[in-house]
Amino acid sequence: MSQLPAVLITGASTGIGAIYADRFARRGHDLVLVARDIARMEAVAGRLRQETGVTIDILQADLTQPADLAKVETRLRDDAHIGILVNNAGTAIGGTFVEQSTDDMSRLVALNTTALVRLASAIAPRLAKVGEGAIVNIGSVVGLAPEFGMSVYGATKAFVLFLSQGLDLELGPKGVYVQAVLPATTRTEIWEHVGADVNAMNNVMEVADLVDAALVGFDRREPVTIPPLHDAGQWDAFDAARKAMLGNLVNALPAERYRRLA
Ligand SMILES: NC(=O)c1ccc[n+]([C@@H]2O[C@H](COP(=O)([O-])OP(=O)(O)OC[C@H]3O[C@@H](n4cnc5c(N)ncnc54)[C@H](OP(=O)(O)O)[C@@H]3O)[C@@H](O)[C@H]2O)c1
């Protein structure tokens, strides 16, 4: 067993999660891989065990199913070796709001938000108690941009960003690092699930570049890491504009513009 904290990664069977598994294994961390496709996780784990010698457990779970989710929550609560959670599992659905089925939206929200917050909630008290550890939440730049036209997906990712920023404020002083990672278009299978051809898109980031950049942010203990945004000053200005409003958001009287003329 590695002396380093073990890392539980959701959505580790492919895409961004599988590369996180690769990178943390190469850093010497034991892993717990979570996803539905056990054969794919076995393939990732088999290769990494051989190449790195770390211990890798596999937990098969459909994180939209409460019983499966509870199994992962229990592991996060009880296994003191796990010190890092990578909340990566997520999906997207194609079409516009009126075309998408209510049930598909509900499953999307369950995976991208409910599962993510439940898993964070399962591990956070233990990490706060020992005063160390990390929670990495994979959001998306779509969560900043209703203009990109993925309203429900984007709303789940706005949730991920807000939650991460709130948890950073709450858990940071207790020694627990919380990072939101906001990828843009990255070459993974997620695009097949929305019925889009990623090879026909512009400005697609390779998944290894995305994860390696996110890990630079992780090592710097950045609260929000946006690998595709070249001008970090734009994020700083956006965040500063939001913070500048804070002192003005709570008032007893409605603003002048909402007062009716007698
Ligand atoms: N690729 C992009 O362009 C992009 C951009 C911004 C943000 N992101 C975010 O990055 C994260 C990873 O996405 P990706 O691009 O790597 O997608 P991906 O290649 O489709 O991988 C998604 C992972 O989540 C797992 N997963 C899906 N549904 C699940 C469920 N119900 N229960 C448990 N695991 C489930 C999948 O495994 P199984 O099928 O084996 O369950 C897979 O391992 C997501 O949160 C996504 O929103 C991606």
Side-chain angles (χ1 to χ4, degrees), residues 96-234:
T96 64
F97 189 74
V98 294
E99 292 163 352
Q100 292 165 350
S101 86
T102 310
D103 286 345
D104 283 350
M105 287 180 198
S106 181
R107 273 189 293 274
L108 181 69
V109 170
L111 179 64
N112 290 13
T113 65
T114 307
L116 179 134
V117 73
R118 288 194 68 100
L119 297 181
S121 167
I123 196 173
R126 186 168 59 72
L127 298 186
K129 198 168 170 197
V130 295
E132 59 186 22
I135 300 173
V136 177
N137 295 322
I138 309 300
S140 167
V141 296
V142 180
L144 297 173
E147 292 77 5
F148 287 0
M150 301 168 78
S151 299
V152 183
Y153 176 80
T156 68
K157 294 304 185 179
F159 176 97
V160 172
L161 175 61
F162 188 108
L163 182 77
S164 304
Q165 291 177 301
L167 295 188
D168 173 53
L169 292 171
E170 288 195 48
L171 299 176
K174 299 183 192 300
V176 182
Y177 168 52
V178 181
Q179 181 191 28
V181 176
L182 278 56
T185 314
T186 307
R187 197 180 310 281
T188 72
E189 291 171 12
I190 200 169
W191 294 101
E192 290 169 29
H193 303 310
V194 302
D197 179 6
V198 71
N199 296 314
M201 295 177 181
N202 294 320
N203 298 320
V204 178
M205 191 173 288
E206 298 303 327
V207 65
D209 290 340
L210 181 273
V211 174
D212 288 336
L215 286 168
V216 172
F218 179 88
D219 292 337
R220 287 186 189 147
R221 295 298 188 250
E222 259 185 9
V224 180
T225 297
I226 313 177
L229 183 67
H230 285 217
D231 180 358
Q234 287 195 311

